[in-house]
Amino acid sequence: MNKPDLVAAAATAAGVDKKIVEKVLDATLATITGALAAQEEVKLVGFGIFSARNRPARTGRNPATGAPIKIAASVAPAFVASALLKTAIASKAAPKKVKR
């Protein structure tokens, strides 16, 4: 499922216009991105937790030559699914795809 599919499915499920859903989705994603950039967690009860994880600097290997290289420290996004989401996926109880 891509973004237009998600917008269409959510608009159908909520009974609202696709343009409204797209604005809300864009605002939600921007808010989550801003919170992660500020090193804050975003907890969505029943869905999961988005967070930013610090990766320390480390030494890696150049796959072509095998020579050691330094990999800089970085921050990476992470997501941990809630137990409810895991159960829904495992039991295939997730909502079925909305037909358009």
Side-chain angles (χ1 to χ4, degrees), residues 36 39 41 49-56 74-80:
L36 295 180
Q39 296 284 312
E41 282 188 343
I49 301 171
F50 294 93
S51 62
R53 293 188 182 160
N54 293 313
R55 291 184 174 172
S74 63
V75 179
F79 176 74
V80 177

Side-chain angles (χ1 to χ4, degrees), residues 11-100:
T12 300
V16 296
D17 188 64
K18 288 181 188 179
K19 290 183 180 184
I20 294 170
V21 173
E22 187 169 13
K23 284 183 182 180
V24 171
L25 179 59
D26 288 342
T28 301
L29 295 177
T31 303
I32 291 171
T33 302
L36 295 180
Q39 296 284 312
E40 296 175 14
E41 282 188 343
V42 178
K43 297 178 184 180
L44 302 175
V45 176
F47 189 73
I49 301 171
F50 294 93
S51 62
R53 293 188 182 160
N54 293 313
R55 291 184 174 172
R58 60 196 186 279
T59 302
R61 295 244 175 238
N62 180 331
T65 64
I69 57 172
K70 291 183 181 179
I71 301 172
S74 63
V75 179
F79 176 74
V80 177
S82 72
L84 185 63
L85 179 60
K86 289 178 185 178
T87 302
I89 292 171
S91 66
K92 299 181 183 178
K96 296 189 180 201
K97 187 174 183 179
V98 177
K99 294 181 181 179
R100 288 183 253 150

